[in-house]
Amino acid sequence: MSRATQTALVRDDRTTYEAAAGAAVGLSGVAFVVGLAALVGAVEIGDPVAGVELSVALGAVLLALGLAVVGFGVASRLGFVDAAPQPSAGVVAAVAFTAIWFAAGVTAAGAAGIGTVGRLGVGTVLGGGAFAVTALPREDVGSTVPAGAVAVLCGLALVTGVVGPGWERALAGYNATLFGDTVVPAVVLFASLATGWSAAKAYGGFGARGRNVGAYVLIYLVVGSILAVLVGLVAFVTAKGLPGLLNGVGVGGETLVRWPFLTNGAGLLADVAGVFPALVGTVWLVIGAVLFAVPTGVGAAVFLSEYAEQGRFTGAVEVATNGLWSTPSIVFGLFGAAFLIPRFGNQKSLIAGMLTLGFMLLPLVLITSREAILAVPDEYRDASAALGVSKWQTIRSVVLPAAIPGVTTGVILGVGRIAGETAPILLTMGGGVLPAKSAAPNVLSGFRLSASPPFVSNPALLEATSALPYQLYALITAGLSGNIRNPQEYAWGLALTLLLVVLAFYAVGIATRYYFRRKLHQ
Amino acid sequence: MSQTENADAEDATDATAVTANRTDGRRASTTAGETVEETRPEWTSYEASGETKVAVEDLDVHYGDDHALKGVSMDIPEESVTALIGPSGCGKSTYLRCLNRMNDRIRAASVDGTVELDGEDVYQDGVDLVELRKRVGMVFQSPNPFPKSIRENVSYGPRKHGDIETGLLARLTGRAEPEREARLVERSLERAALWEEVNDRLDDNALGLSGGQQQRLCIARCLAVDPEVILMDEPASALDPIATAKIEDLIEDLAQDYTVVVVTHSMQQAARVSDQTAVFLTGGELVEYDDTEKIFENPESQRVEDYVSGKFG
C-alpha cells in the first residue's frame, strides 16, 4: 500500500480482498466448465477425484465458494474493504433470487414429503425472504448472501450425498425419472453461475464497476456454454461419423486418392458401401434451387425497391414473402407433389425437388436482396444520374455490385436451410434407401437435343433421385438394416457427410461475400 | 428568427416603399404572417457581359404544397462562375437542381417556367435526359465516389455512354481502346488537380482517398463526360480549409472553359471565386443578382446588405 501512489484515478496494487474475489471467480468458472463437461458426458460424476467422487468434490467446492461469497459481502458491509456499494442490489436481482429460492424451497419441501400446499408455503416463505434479503440491505450484502446461500445449500446436498451418482427420483404424476447424472451437473452449473456473478461483483468493489464486472462474467459464462454446446454437437457427430466416412480411404492404386465412402454406391458388390448418389443428388439439388431462386429473387427485389411505387402493392408483396418464408417446409413439399410432379412426368424427380426447394429459397433471397438494395446509399444513384447514365445501367453497374455482399448473406442462410430439408424432397424427389452407384443423377451429360418441342430434354432431371437428408431419414425409418455391413456406422458417416456438405456451401458463400466486400472497400 | 426581426426593425424606414411596391402586385409577399419582404424586378434584371448560356424565366417549383421557388428569372453567362448564396431553405439548391432536371428524381416536385440551355427549353417534351445531363454536369455537397477504383470512377460516364469500350466483348473483337481510356483518365484527373496525387494508384478503391481528394475525383468524373455547364452544390462544405482552398482554385480555373454555377453557404467563397452572385432569401425568392463586387460592396436591397455583412441569416 505504502509504496504506490494511491489516487482516486489510479490504483496500481491489488488488495488481498480483490485477489480472493478474483480467485473465487476463477474457481466458479472451473466448476462451471466441469459441470458442463459432466452434463454432456465428457466426465462422469461418479469418477474418483482426490479420493472422493467427483460430485462430492464439486459439492465441497460449491460449499467453499458459497461461504467465501458470503464472507466477501459481510467484510464489505463491516467496512473492512474499500468498496462503493449502492443502497440496494436492485429489483432485477431481487426478483431473480426470489424465483431461485422459491424453486429451492418447493423442491426441498417436496423431498421432505410435505404436501402441495405446504410446499408452496415453504417456497413462498423462502422466496419472500430472499427478496427481502436481496432488496432491503445495502448492495454488498444483498448481492452476496442470497447467492452464497444457494451455493452452500447445493454444496451441502452434494457433499452429504443426498444427491449423488446413484440418485434417482421418479416424478409423481409424470412418466419420467430424474437421474443424478443430469441433476448434479445442473445444480453445479446453476450454483457456480450465482457465485461467479457474486464474486465478480465483489471483485469490482460493487457499485457501477462491480455490476459491470458481474455482468461480464455472467455473459461470458453463458456465451461460453452456448459455444460449448455447438462445438460439442459438431464434435459428437464427427466422432461418430469419422469411422464410416474414412472407411477404406487410401492413396495410390488406380486413382490418386481412394475415398470409397464418397465415390461408391451402396450395391451388394461394393466392398465399402458409399453415399455417392445421395451426395451428387444433394449438390445438384442445391445448385438447381439456387439457379432458380437467385435470379428471380434478385430481379423481384430490384423491381420492388427501384421501380415499383412504394405503397399498398409493395406492402402486400412484403407480407406475402415474409409469410412464405415462415411457411412449414412440408407445405412446400405438398405443393410440389400436387402441382409440380404431374407437370414433370408424373413421378418424383430431381427437377421437382429443385423447384420445390427453389420456391422455399425464393422468399429469403427476395427479402435480403431488397434490404441490401435499399441499403445502397442514394448518393450513388444521384451521382450516376447526374452523369447522364440511365436507370437500368445505374442499377446494373452501381447498385447491384454494392448490394452483392448482402444478397450473398441471404443466399448463404437460405442454402443452409434448404440443403438439410427432408420433408419437401421426401414428397417430390424420392430415391432409394440404399441407391447403387448407377442411380446417381448424371445431369451434365444427360442433356439431349431433339427436333420437336421442347427441343432439349434431360432424363437425369426427370428421375427419382436420392439426397443425403432423405437417405438418412429413409435409413432410420427402415430400422438401420439392409445389405450393407455396418448400417450404424454407415448412417453416422452419412450424417457427417451432410454436415460437411452444408458447411462447404457456407464456406463458398462466405468466401464470395468476403471477396466482394474487399472489392468494394479496398 | 430573432435576427430576422432585427433586420426587419432596421428595415422599418423602407416601410413606405414596401407599401408602394405592393400596389404594383409583383413580388411583395408576407411570410410567417408578419415579416414583410421586398423584392424589386430591377434588382434582378442583371445583364451579364458575354453570351447567355442558361436562361431561366419565371421558374416556380413546388414540393407538394410547399412553394420552394417563386418566379425566379435569371440568365447565367457562359464561361464564368455564378455563385448562389442565401440562408438554408431559400431555394438555391432547388434552383440548381432544375438546371439539369435532377428535381425529376423527387416525386413530389413540380416545375413550372422555362429553363433554356443555349436557347433550347430543357423542360419541353421529348428532352433526352441523358444528353442534357451529359452537357450539364453536377458535383454534390458530400463527396460521393462509387465504391470502385479511381480509374473506373473517372471513366464510368464515358463507358456507360459507349464512348469508350472496355468490356470483354470489345477486348475480344479488338475494339477496346485502353490507351484512349488512359488518356481520358489522365486528362480528367489533371484538370481536377488530382493527377499528381493519385497517378501511382489508379486501381485503388476511391473510398480510400481523403475527403478533399474524393471531391476532386467527383469533379474529374464529371469532367470526363465533357460537360458545358458544371453545377456545384456546396462542393466544399464537408471539407477542411486546405481542401476547400484547392477546390476554390479549381473552380476559378474551370471557369476558363466551362460555365460554373456554385451554391455556397460561405460568403467569402462566393466573393473569392465568382464573377456574379445571386442572393436568394427566405421564401424561395431571388432578391438580388448582380456582379459579385456590387453585391458585396453596394447591394441595392437592405436585406441583402444585412445578409452579406452577417447581420442576419
Side-chain angles (χ1 to χ4, degrees):
Chain A
M1 266 294 199
S2 56
R3 66 191 155 78
T5 32
Q6 193 86 19
T7 68
L9 273 179
V10 183
R11 301 177 57 203
D12 59 356
D13 61 351
R14 185 166 296 226
T15 61
T16 326
Y17 181 76
E18 277 178 335
V25 173
L27 197 56
S28 301
V30 172
F32 187 85
V33 171
V34 174
L36 207 58
L39 195 64
V40 298
V43 292
E44 293 291 329
I45 57 165
D47 289 348
V49 175
V52 291
E53 286 174 332
L54 180 60
S55 70
V56 176
L58 282 173
V61 168
L62 289 186
L63 197 57
L65 279 173
L67 291 175
V69 161
V70 173
F72 296 146
V74 172
S76 167
R77 184 72 188 89
L78 297 180
F80 294 147
V81 291
D82 182 21
Q86 291 178 359
S88 164
V91 175
V92 177
V95 169
F97 281 119
T98 307
I100 291 168
W101 277 99
F102 178 80
V106 171
T107 314
I114 303 176
T116 310
V117 179
R119 272 186 235 173
L120 287 179
V122 172
T124 311
V125 168
L126 282 179
F131 188 92
V133 171
T134 312
L136 297 182
R138 217 169 69 171
E139 188 194 5
D140 43 8
V141 172
S143 57
T144 53
V145 171
V150 168
V152 168
L153 194 70
C154 296
L156 278 177
L158 295 184
V159 168
T160 54
V162 172
V163 180
W167 182 85
E168 63 176 78
R169 173 173 297 274
L171 291 176
Y174 301 94
N175 185 17
T177 310
L178 287 177
F179 292 100
D181 298 3
T182 47
V183 171
V184 170
V187 162
V188 171
L189 285 179
F190 204 68
S192 59
L193 265 186
T195 56
W197 171 73
S198 197
K201 282 190 90 166
Y203 176 80
F206 303 99
R209 188 164 166 266
R211 286 174 189 214
N212 194 26
V213 180
Y216 266 127
V217 167
L218 215 53
I219 289 168
Y220 274 119
L221 285 178
V222 171
V223 168
S225 58
I226 290 171
L227 280 181
V229 169
L230 197 70
V231 171
L233 199 151
V234 174
F236 185 74
V237 174
T238 308
K240 288 275 196 180
L242 267 186
L245 183 63
L246 296 180
N247 203 350
V249 168
V251 182
E254 290 167 40
T255 53
L256 196 60
V257 180
R258 278 176 292 121
W259 200 329
F261 191 77
L262 296 185
T263 55
N264 280 2
L268 263 178
L269 296 174
D271 49 347
V272 176
V275 296
F276 182 71
L279 179 63
V280 176
T282 287
V283 171
W284 277 117
L285 192 60
V286 170
I287 290 175
V290 167
L291 283 183
F292 170 75
V294 170
T296 41
V298 174
V302 166
F303 170 76
L304 286 174
S305 46
E306 297 283 327
Y307 289 99
E309 192 107 13
Q310 302 296 316
R312 227 173 259 176
F313 172 68
T314 51
V317 172
E318 199 161 328
V319 171
T321 39
N322 288 341
L324 271 182
W325 175 240
S326 33
T327 301
S329 57
I330 187 78
V331 177
F332 278 99
L334 274 175
F335 169 76
F339 182 83
L340 293 175
I341 285 181
R343 284 161 179 77
F344 289 106
N346 227 353
Q347 61 164 353
K348 293 181 182 178
S349 62
L350 179 56
I351 191 152
M354 284 174 172
L355 289 178
T356 308
L357 291 190
F359 285 132
M360 279 186 64
L361 184 58
L362 186 58
L364 186 72
V365 172
L366 177 52
I367 293 167
T368 50
S369 305
R370 210 175 150 207
E371 294 293 325
I373 290 172
L374 288 177
V376 174
D378 263 342
E379 280 88 45
Y380 294 166
R381 298 184 181 89
D382 282 349
S384 187
L387 288 167
V389 175
S390 67
K391 188 166 186 170
W392 167 240
Q393 277 190 316
T394 302
I395 291 170
R396 218 191 54 189
S397 37
V398 179
V399 177
L400 283 183
I404 281 182
V407 174
T408 319
T409 307
V411 176
I412 296 172
L413 287 174
V415 164
R417 181 180 169 191
I418 63 160
E421 271 304 341
T422 314
I425 56 175
L426 169 76
L427 293 171
T428 56
M429 216 168 80
V433 182
L434 289 168
K437 185 160 187 177
S438 58
N442 207 342
V443 176
L444 281 184
S445 56
F447 284 101
R448 300 274 179 275
L449 297 176
S450 57
S452 58
F455 302 113
V456 182
S457 64
N458 191 342
L461 286 176
L462 295 174
E463 274 164 19
T465 309
S466 200
L468 292 169
Y470 170 72
Q471 200 192 348
L472 190 58
Y473 164 81
L475 264 176
I476 293 167
T477 44
L480 286 178
S481 59
N483 296 322
I484 44 175
R485 283 204 192 104
N486 192 343
Q488 193 87 27
E489 194 181 275
Y490 181 83
W492 278 112
L494 186 59
L496 179 58
T497 312
L498 176 57
L499 188 65
L500 291 178
V501 167
V502 173
L503 291 182
F505 278 121
Y506 269 16
V508 170
I510 289 168
T512 315
R513 186 172 60 182
Y514 178 74
Y515 170 77
F516 281 109
R517 278 215 183 123
R518 259 181 82 93
K519 211 174 153 200
L520 281 179
H521 296 294
Q522 280 183 16
Chain B
M1 203 62 219
S2 65
Q3 274 182 325
T4 318
E5 279 156 19
N6 285 343
D8 291 337
E10 283 166 46
D11 242 358
T13 47
D14 280 350
T16 47
V18 173
T19 330
N21 198 46
R22 194 177 270 177
T23 49
D24 78 19
R26 253 184 90 80
R27 294 304 141 71
S29 67
T30 307
T31 313
E34 52 192 61
T35 323
V36 179
E37 296 180 344
E38 184 198 19
T39 55
R40 288 188 203 164
E42 64 265 29
W43 292 350
T44 60
S45 61
Y46 162 73
E47 290 280 339
S49 56
E51 293 283 306
T52 298
K53 185 72 188 176
V54 183
V56 177
E57 194 66 39
D58 278 330
L59 189 66
D60 275 87
V61 179
H62 291 82
Y63 294 123
D65 295 332
D66 184 18
H67 200 168
L69 212 54
K70 293 174 187 159
V72 171
S73 304
M74 68 182 267
D75 293 350
I76 293 166
E78 121 184 308
E79 286 171 16
S80 65
V81 180
T82 307
L84 310 178
I85 61 173
S88 297
C90 68
K92 55 194 189 305
S93 291
T94 300
Y95 174 82
L96 193 75
R97 292 169 71 92
C98 282
L99 303 187
N100 66 344
R101 291 189 58 171
M102 282 297 275
N103 276 335
D104 292 16
R105 296 171 55 73
I106 301 167
R107 262 199 197 97
S110 73
V111 178
D112 298 306
T114 57
V115 176
E116 288 180 355
L117 176 65
D118 288 336
E120 267 188 293
D121 187 0
V122 304
Y123 274 98
Q124 63 185 315
D125 288 344
V127 168
D128 182 359
L129 283 186
V130 171
E131 199 54 39
L132 171 67
R133 289 175 185 159
K134 274 164 81 172
R135 288 172 62 187
V136 184
M138 188 164 199
V139 175
F140 294 83
Q141 179 172 4
S142 52
N144 56 355
F146 300 123
K148 298 170 181 287
S149 74
I150 295 172
R151 185 197 312 278
E152 284 172 315
N153 261 284
V154 177
S155 60
Y156 177 81
R159 278 191 197 191
K160 295 303 153 196
H161 297 139
D163 298 341
I164 291 181
E165 297 194 63
T166 53
L168 181 67
L169 197 64
R171 256 179 280 155
L172 288 179
T173 53
R175 278 187 286 123
E177 301 157 298
E179 303 83 18
R180 230 185 103 216
E181 188 195 12
R183 274 204 309 278
L184 178 88
V185 168
E186 179 175 349
R187 207 175 53 225
S188 305
L189 286 171
E190 250 172 9
R191 201 74 182 79
L194 190 60
W195 176 251
E196 296 297 320
E197 291 161 58
V198 300
N199 61 22
D200 53 343
R201 48 179 173 140
L202 290 176
D203 289 312
D204 286 8
N205 196 304
L207 298 182
L209 297 175
S210 74
Q213 289 173 326
Q214 287 188 5
Q215 192 62 299
R216 276 178 284 150
L217 176 63
C218 291
I219 294 174
R221 181 174 67 184
C222 172
L223 294 176
V225 192
D226 199 22
E228 297 159 22
V229 181
I230 301 174
L231 311 176
M232 298 190 177
D233 193 351
E234 301 180 39
S237 67
L239 306 179
D240 66 66
I242 294 171
T244 302
K246 284 186 181 167
I247 299 279
E248 287 173 1
D249 290 348
L250 183 56
I251 291 173
E252 280 190 285
D253 195 32
L254 288 174
Q256 292 169 4
D257 304 311
Y258 303 92
T259 306
V260 181
V261 186
V262 53
V263 163
T264 176
H265 265 135
S266 155
M267 240 73 78
Q268 292 85 339
Q269 191 173 74
R272 220 174 305 151
V273 301
S274 69
D275 301 306
Q276 53 275 329
T277 299
V279 187
F280 289 72
L281 290 177
T282 328
E285 287 171 305
L286 173 62
V287 179
E288 197 160 341
Y289 177 41
D290 216 321
D291 278 330
T292 299
E293 216 165 287
K294 173 97 164 57
I295 292 282
F296 281 95
E297 280 168 14
N298 187 23
E300 301 284 342
S301 159
Q302 181 65 40
R303 286 196 300 144
V304 169
E305 186 170 347
D306 289 346
Y307 181 72
V308 298
S309 59
K311 281 188 195 158
F312 122 85

